[in-house]
Amino acid sequence: MPFREKPKMMILKGLIQILIAFLLFYKGDMYGYEIKQLDILLNKEIKRNIVYITLKKMEKTGLVNSYDVNGTKYYKLSQEGNEFLDFHIPILKKYIEILEKIVDDYNQKSKRNENQNTKQLKESK
């Protein structure tokens, strides 16, 4: 495969900010290791450094705020983070529709090609 990284990971990297924002929206304030557990939700290991780098980026851009409790850094979705989700959820819905169409069309074409190949094999006998 000519990709430098697995395609599944490429897609997840693009979504990680949205996933983290949603997790904080849904569950409330969390510390980094709790957020790291999102890999259980995704059934895909996400490297700890990716989560922490993303959290730092999100904090720098104002999507999350952090605070310290007994030496543990907690993250909270900011107002900008809520607006970020409000903006991206409709886009994700549209992408879901597009991706479902791509997958359905691919499956239909694959099935037709498979049926055509089977028919040609039978005819050649």
Side-chain angles (χ1 to χ4, degrees), residues 46-70:
I46 296 179
K47 294 180 181 177
R48 186 178 350 167
N49 66 331
I50 290 173
V51 171
Y52 286 105
I53 288 168
T54 303
L55 283 167
K56 280 184 183 181
K57 180 179 177 183
M58 291 175 77
E59 188 171 19
K60 188 175 182 178
T61 58
L63 298 177
V64 299
N65 298 316
S66 67
Y67 59 93
D68 188 81
V69 176
N70 299 324

Side-chain angles (χ1 to χ4, degrees), residues 19-55:
L19 293 169
I20 289 173
F22 174 75
L23 200 56
L24 291 170
F25 169 81
Y26 189 74
K27 294 200 172 212
D29 300 6
M30 300 174 80
Y31 58 93
Y33 186 75
E34 286 178 304
I35 295 169
K36 163 69 174 90
Q37 298 304 306
L38 110 105
D39 57 6
I40 294 170
L41 176 73
L42 297 171
N43 197 24
K44 169 75 178 146
E45 182 184 356
I46 296 179
K47 294 180 181 177
R48 186 178 350 167
N49 66 331
I50 290 173
V51 171
Y52 286 105
I53 288 168
T54 303
L55 283 167

